[in-house]
């Protein structure tokens, strides 16, 4: 069983920055991919960024590449999402996830078994 607890959401103006954190507890996370998904009102959930906790490989949605950076600290069981140059379309609830997705499915929600409660991010224009 793995539990995910997110923090760091909030409200910011376009062009601003936020940093999300997620701490995992339990067993199995260290062999997993951890990452962030988001869901905007009225839209489907989408993968934002994922990191392999042993490989350190990272994967990003095209919409955030170059603006967001995911990083992980296996010792602290924590991952971070640094979000810069935020846009109104980045608004949504951000969920921390853990799982073992198949190859080339790292940004597919079906590969993640454990989800946090979510933290809200609001970007105003």
């Amino acid at each position: 069983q793995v539990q995910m607890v997110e923090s760091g959401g909030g409200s910011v103006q376009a062009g601003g920055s936020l940093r999300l954190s997620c701490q995992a507890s339990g067993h199995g996370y260290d062999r997993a991919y951890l990452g962030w998904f988001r869901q905007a009102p009225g839209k489907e959930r989408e993968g934002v960024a994922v990191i392999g906790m042993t490989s350190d490989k990272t994967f990003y949605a095209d919409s955030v590449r170059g603006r967001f950076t995911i990083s992980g600290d296996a010792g602290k069981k924590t991952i971070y999402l640094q979000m810069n140059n935020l846009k109104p379309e980045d608004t949504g609830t951000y969920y921390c996830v853990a799982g073992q997705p198949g190859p080339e499915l790292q940004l597919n929600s079906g590969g993640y078994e454990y989800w946090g409660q979510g933290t809200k991010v609001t970007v105003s224009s």
Side-chain angles (χ1 to χ4, degrees):
Q1 185 76 18
V2 177
Q3 293 182 326
M4 325 292 292
V5 179
E6 306 102 333
S7 61
S11 297
V12 65
Q13 290 190 328
S17 298
L18 285 173
R19 189 191 195 206
L20 305 183
S21 300
C22 173
Q23 186 165 31
S25 62
H27 301 288
Y29 72 92
D30 55 339
R31 295 188 295 277
Y33 283 87
L34 272 66
W36 298 91
F37 280 65
R38 69 184 179 188
Q39 187 165 22
K43 294 188 177 181
E44 294 186 355
R45 195 169 291 184
E46 64 171 341
V48 175
V50 170
I51 184 169
M53 295 306 286
T54 55
S55 67
D56 284 336
K57 287 184 177 179
T58 56
F59 303 84
Y60 293 95
D62 290 342
S63 58
V64 307
R65 188 174 290 111
R67 300 187 297 121
F68 290 11
T69 303
I70 188 170
S71 59
D73 185 331
K76 294 182 179 179
K77 307 179 185 180
T78 302
I79 61 170
Y80 307 93
L81 185 67
Q82 178 65 43
M83 305 185 292
N84 297 329
N85 190 22
L86 282 160
K87 303 177 180 180
E89 51 263 42
D90 294 318
T91 294
T93 300
Y94 284 67
Y95 299 90
C96 183
V97 300
Q100 298 192 29
E104 301 183 10
L105 295 175
Q106 288 84 0
L107 293 177
N108 187 308
S109 62
Y112 294 89
E113 182 178 3
Y114 301 106
W115 293 70
Q117 294 299 307
T119 184
K120 290 187 178 180
V121 171
T122 302
V123 184
S124 58
S125 58

